[in-house]
Amino acid sequence: MAEPLVQRNPTVVPHDQPYYKATVRNTELIFTEKNQGFAEHAAGVEQQLQPQYEASFGYQMDSPLFVGLISDNNQIANGFSTQYPLNRQINYVGGASAVDYFSTTSWLDTLLFHETAHNYQLNAKDNRVSSALHSVLGNGALMTPFFPAIVPNVFESSFMLEGNAVLNESRHGNGGRLYSGRFDALVHAQAKAGYLTPERAYNQTLYFPYGESSYVLGSHYQYFLADRYGLDATNRYFKARSRYWYFPFVTNAPLQAAIGNNFDTTFADWAKHEVQQADRAVMSAGEPLVTSKFFTALNSDDNEIFFLASPQDVRAPYHVVLDRETGELGKQRSTFRGGELFRHDDKTWSMASAYSTPWRIYQGLYSESAHLKEDTRGRIIQGFMPSREPVYFDVASSYDQPQLYVGDDFYGQVNSSVNVHGDDLYYFVQEGSERILYRNRTALYRYAGYYGVVADVDSQGRVLFVANSEHGSSLYRTQNGGGVSRVLAEDDIVAARLLDDERVLATAIQADHYGYYLKPLQPRSGEPHVRELRWDVPVGQADNLATDSEPQPLSLDRPYHAWSAMRYSGTDLSLSLLSEEEDDSAEDETDLHTLYNVQVRFSDPLEQNEVSLFSYRDQDLSELAGLGYSNNQFFLIGGVKQYWVLDDRLDRESPPQETRNHGLSAELRLPLLQSGYWYSELAGTWYQDYQLDEREPLAGQWSLSRTTRFGNSFLPNKHAGVTGYQVSDRDDTSYGGTLSLMTDLPAELYLGARGQFSRSDAVVNQGMRRGVALEETQDFIANDPSRIVIPALDNSYYAEQVISGEASVSKVINLPWYSFKVPLSLRREALHLRYRRYDIDFGAAQLELNQAIVGMDLELLLFHRSPLRFAFEYAYTDDDRITSEHSFQAVTSLAF
């Protein structure tokens, strides 16, 4: 089977709402009619934000910025910025589900401030080579270290990129993660453990807290620079760095140019500063009840506290239950999607975001099988009233700030998660830089800050909440006579639930995990610490874009059309090696050939359609080039490729094959099911085989699979898949199917099995290429699902029937090596063993092949941030009539 000619859209779901566009300054806003009001708010922000960023980052962007405000068919608590396919940012609507994490007032403003900072970081090209190439190729992907880079800063570490974006997100009067005590606590925990090293911080490691480290550690390092050397100087590092187009991996020289000091020195100074701060922090001690590599909120009912935890983050999480009366803890494996657990309608659900159909991503309550509870669609559930009415944030209207509903009635705008306690609602509301704790509509307590999370309410009506301490994050409790007291001494507390009025289950953020501790409450005097940043004092006062910007009126007179919006996107390059024995060599010599695949892409900002120019060299050493078009805007997605043969190299065959000099390949795909962990689709393909001008297979295929993969698992934790297919060619019919299974075991051990059956009613003819195709590798044009791939095959063959089977075992070893000075690191390794058997019926003869394969998978890290799987295999085949007895294969893939 070949690579798909069309991929599912990674930006928006198919058959999405109609989009419109409007130009503001050098920005094109892309938005739906329902989001028009939010787009007008964004237009007002951009009018003031971009001049500020131009002054601070030190340049104007050289291409228009596309800002997408994506519809509520895509309910994701995220956003992203990229130079590919264009200079753009994509902002999703689901941020109310993460309201406690971001410590901000407005989700939409957070996205605009943060993602636009990324655009200014990456778009910089302060050198003649990059700017000249950009004038011809746009923001292309001609960016290997061996050629001039059009966008040099795409090689920058996420530690610098995300850290700087959080710095800029936190300086506009909207709060931000630099105000979060949870972030402070994690930095101090890492500092105490000795983890603040360039090797751990600068790379995207597989150490806790994984990708979050770039935001947490990076933002504190960036603030350290801004506080000592100035915000503008810190931001202009990215302009200075873009001068190094010829080797875009340097750190010391551009930082020296920007702030007058280098990276090595400033990082060491920052690490020393954080260690000193950490020495003053009180950390949770002792053995926790349970640990987890990711965080989910605690929940409880009258009898139990319950939550999800993953001690390894490579297997399915535990559903953890703590008895409030006895303190006994139980846990069992579950397949809940990560999120807060709720008990309702005599079942347990998790609050999550997922596909509920192949065409919609919704937030709501999901069962353990990851199926959406229909009456919670588009609702971020906070709890249920005694009357069973749901308390929730309405996703569609909460693009800016969470809009709280009780049943069908709007309750109010809030700025934290809501604790539903009997008939009462407890939550925070943000008023400027002041945070106000409410019970229903009564204000209970107020303090300066943006970080505060309601934890629980005791039997006396006293509210426990998490807020900043001087050295991190701790637990506080309101007093019935007014005021608050601090009830835990530790500075690493990020969540808590009461067992009774005197004990809590507290979640502590630590250097290697979240720890869950039973702690007695120890009231003492103390109020939330006021976290003042340099722009909160008169000397460093910054503009308050959260309140100073005015919405700009926009019309709906410019519909967004995917075809007319296409621009040059980028260039992708994939490389692999082919080992080939020379048949005419008396010394049985082996030649090593480089295979390549290059694609130049043109796409629209929402990636709904794409035109590509391609060229590649296949396993026959033939060279092809052509152009393709794909469209994934609707339910039925499709693609087509027209190719020309530049050099067929098939004259090496005996006898020489009659080839085409050009041909066509086409594909249609219709997703049928995507719910829970199930996925199914129908696909139809047709192509003209360049290796034989008479061959034009038409294929249909159905697939169904159930796959679970949790955290950083190297392979799927559980998988079962089946496909069925039929192929017609020149009045011949081939049919068959595949079956694949996989499961994980403790200690990161994976077992897998796969089988394939293909049969043809053709009279087998090797020269005419009739029958079931046997090939050594996949093909980029010939999309034939009945094809059987046999590594070490010495030619293409055709058979009447083939039955193949494979059993595999893989063991992850986890011996990482991270480098700061070299832009290549090793994240983990896996040893794999495979046994394959092929029963081949050629009609006139039968052949049985047995293969034993041993290999090593290396997960490398390129440029400190891009994972790359590299596989090296040795295969022994017990019959060398159509295969090599001994073969070696090294395969890697570079995707830009």
Side-chain angles (χ1 to χ4, degrees), residues 243-447:
R243 298 166 190 163
Y244 295 85
W245 59 269
Y246 49 88
F247 191 75
F249 305 110
V250 293
T251 53
N252 279 334
L255 197 59
Q256 182 77 44
I259 68 172
N261 206 343
N262 64 38
F263 181 87
D264 290 345
T265 302
T266 57
F267 188 94
D269 291 344
W270 168 70
K272 181 180 179 181
H273 166 76
E274 294 296 352
V275 169
Q276 292 172 347
Q277 294 296 311
D279 287 341
R280 302 187 181 101
V282 178
M283 300 299 187
S284 296
E287 189 70 22
L289 294 178
V290 67
T291 64
S292 181
K293 296 289 190 180
F294 66 77
F295 174 83
T296 58
L298 305 172
N299 208 339
S300 61
D301 58 19
D302 292 339
N303 302 313
E304 295 174 330
I305 300 172
F306 42 90
F307 57 98
L308 293 176
S310 179
Q312 302 91 17
D313 202 44
V314 291
R315 303 197 70 197
Y318 286 112
H319 178 190
V320 183
V321 176
L322 178 68
D323 190 289
R324 299 180 72 161
E325 182 175 350
T326 66
E328 293 182 0
L329 183 139
K331 60 182 182 179
Q332 63 179 14
R333 292 282 179 195
S334 72
T335 55
F336 283 111
R337 291 191 181 275
E340 183 177 359
L341 296 182
F342 289 88
R343 290 179 174 173
H344 184 62
D345 289 344
D346 300 321
K347 290 184 63 176
T348 300
W349 311 82
S350 73
M351 182 61 224
S353 170
Y355 278 96
S356 61
T357 76
W359 313 292
R360 298 292 181 263
I361 302 172
Y362 287 125
Q363 291 180 327
L365 294 184
Y366 284 82
S367 68
E368 186 171 5
S369 299
H371 295 295
L372 176 65
K373 191 175 190 295
E374 287 297 327
D375 60 0
T376 67
R377 173 185 295 161
R379 297 178 172 184
I380 301 169
I381 299 297
Q382 303 297 294
F384 294 88
M385 303 294 286
S387 63
R388 305 182 67 80
E389 283 187 301
V391 179
Y392 61 93
F393 301 146
D394 175 64
V395 175
S397 60
S398 297
Y399 214 144
D400 182 37
Q401 300 180 49
Q403 306 298 302
L404 179 63
Y405 283 75
V406 177
D408 295 327
D409 299 324
F410 176 68
Y411 187 88
Q413 181 172 278
V414 304
N415 300 104
S416 75
S417 58
V418 179
N419 185 285
V420 182
H421 191 79
D423 289 315
D424 297 318
L425 306 181
Y426 297 84
Y427 53 89
F428 282 99
V429 170
Q430 197 72 34
E431 289 187 2
S433 60
E434 192 172 55
R435 200 154 180 83
I436 306 171
L437 174 64
Y438 278 84
R439 179 181 63 237
N440 301 324
R441 303 188 186 280
T442 301
L444 301 177
Y445 178 72
R446 62 183 66 212
Y447 61 94

Side-chain angles (χ1 to χ4, degrees), residues 419 421-422 424-426 437-440 442-445 454 456-465 476-484 498 500-501:
N419 185 285
H421 191 79
D424 297 318
L425 306 181
Y426 297 84
L437 174 64
Y438 278 84
R439 179 181 63 237
N440 301 324
T442 301
L444 301 177
Y445 178 72
V454 178
D456 211 340
V457 182
D458 69 12
S459 63
Q460 300 179 45
R462 296 175 296 184
V463 184
L464 284 83
F465 63 95
Y476 300 85
R477 185 175 65 190
T478 61
Q479 299 173 351
N480 287 334
V484 301
L498 287 165
D500 52 45
D501 283 0

Side-chain angles (χ1 to χ4, degrees), residues 719-775:
H719 168 80
V722 61
T723 66
Y725 48 77
Q726 181 168 308
V727 182
S728 297
D729 174 49
R730 294 168 291 174
D731 298 323
D732 300 336
T733 299
S734 299
Y735 59 91
T738 66
L739 174 66
S740 56
L741 302 168
M742 178 162 284
T743 187
D744 67 334
L745 298 174
E748 293 190 78
L749 193 68
Y750 299 87
L751 302 180
R754 186 180 187 278
Q756 183 173 1
F757 168 81
S758 283
R759 181 175 178 82
S760 174
D761 62 9
V763 176
V764 175
N765 187 309
Q766 303 299 327
M768 297 299 294
R769 301 174 69 84
R770 303 181 85 110
V772 176
L774 310 181
E775 301 285 358

Side-chain angles (χ1 to χ4, degrees), residues 186 190 200 206-210 292-293 510-514:
L186 179 55
Q190 297 266 303
R200 287 184 71 118
L206 289 178
Y207 298 129
F208 175 83
Y210 311 111
S292 181
K293 296 289 190 180
Q510 300 179 306
D512 297 302
H513 50 240
Y514 293 92

Side-chain angles (χ1 to χ4, degrees), residues 62-378:
D62 57 19
S63 54
L65 173 63
F66 296 90
V67 176
L69 273 62
I70 306 306
S71 81
D72 60 347
N73 291 334
N74 308 260
Q75 296 180 7
I76 305 168
N78 203 355
F80 66 87
S81 170
T82 178
Q83 297 296 291
Y84 310 102
L86 299 163
N87 180 26
R88 63 173 182 154
Q89 60 178 266
I90 299 298
N91 303 312
Y92 295 105
V93 72
S97 64
V99 61
D100 293 330
Y101 178 79
F102 282 89
S103 300
T104 53
T105 304
S106 165
W107 167 248
L108 180 56
D109 285 348
T110 300
L111 290 172
L112 295 172
F113 301 153
H114 183 101
E115 303 303 341
T116 305
H118 282 320
N119 292 108
Y120 277 90
Q121 295 162 358
L122 296 173
N123 191 260
K125 306 176 186 68
D126 194 26
N127 68 82
R128 292 182 179 179
V129 174
S130 295
S131 58
L133 286 170
H134 169 264
S135 66
V136 177
L137 297 176
N139 282 342
L142 179 63
M143 60 179 193
T144 75
F146 310 108
F147 297 97
I150 299 177
V151 191
N153 287 353
V154 298
F155 292 100
E156 179 58 283
S157 163
S158 294
F159 173 74
M160 300 293 280
L161 294 172
E162 299 298 352
N164 180 263
V166 174
L167 171 73
N168 283 283
E169 143 201 326
S170 304
R171 67 178 181 94
H172 299 290
N174 187 50
R177 281 169 280 187
L178 278 177
Y179 291 92
S180 170
R182 173 174 166 175
F183 270 42
D184 289 346
L186 179 55
V187 173
H188 294 156
Q190 297 266 303
K192 272 185 176 289
Y195 291 165
L196 299 188
T197 66
E199 290 77 16
R200 287 184 71 118
Y202 206 73
N203 288 296
Q204 285 285 290
T205 72
L206 289 178
Y207 298 129
F208 175 83
Y210 311 111
E212 188 182 6
S213 175
S214 297
Y215 299 84
V216 181
L217 302 184
S219 62
H220 281 66
Y221 171 68
Q222 289 283 318
Y223 181 75
F224 178 82
L225 296 182
D227 196 37
R228 288 202 174 187
Y229 304 100
L231 176 65
D232 294 343
T234 301
N235 281 340
R236 291 186 185 186
Y237 160 79
F238 296 95
K239 179 182 178 183
R241 190 188 188 283
S242 71
R243 298 166 190 163
Y244 295 85
W245 59 269
Y246 49 88
F247 191 75
F249 305 110
V250 293
T251 53
N252 279 334
L255 197 59
Q256 182 77 44
I259 68 172
N261 206 343
N262 64 38
F263 181 87
D264 290 345
T265 302
T266 57
F267 188 94
D269 291 344
W270 168 70
K272 181 180 179 181
H273 166 76
E274 294 296 352
V275 169
Q276 292 172 347
Q277 294 296 311
D279 287 341
R280 302 187 181 101
V282 178
M283 300 299 187
S284 296
E287 189 70 22
L289 294 178
V290 67
T291 64
S292 181
K293 296 289 190 180
F294 66 77
F295 174 83
T296 58
L298 305 172
N299 208 339
S300 61
D301 58 19
D302 292 339
N303 302 313
E304 295 174 330
I305 300 172
F306 42 90
F307 57 98
L308 293 176
S310 179
Q312 302 91 17
D313 202 44
V314 291
R315 303 197 70 197
Y318 286 112
H319 178 190
V320 183
V321 176
L322 178 68
D323 190 289
R324 299 180 72 161
E325 182 175 350
T326 66
E328 293 182 0
L329 183 139
K331 60 182 182 179
Q332 63 179 14
R333 292 282 179 195
S334 72
T335 55
F336 283 111
R337 291 191 181 275
E340 183 177 359
L341 296 182
F342 289 88
R343 290 179 174 173
H344 184 62
D345 289 344
D346 300 321
K347 290 184 63 176
T348 300
W349 311 82
S350 73
M351 182 61 224
S353 170
Y355 278 96
S356 61
T357 76
W359 313 292
R360 298 292 181 263
I361 302 172
Y362 287 125
Q363 291 180 327
L365 294 184
Y366 284 82
S367 68
E368 186 171 5
S369 299
H371 295 295
L372 176 65
K373 191 175 190 295
E374 287 297 327
D375 60 0
T376 67
R377 173 185 295 161

Side-chain angles (χ1 to χ4, degrees), residues 647-664:
D647 182 2
D648 63 38
R649 296 300 298 273
L650 294 175
D651 55 0
R652 304 184 308 155
E653 307 292 334
S654 181
Q657 298 182 15
E658 298 179 8
T659 64
R660 298 178 193 269
N661 55 19
H662 64 86
L664 196 68

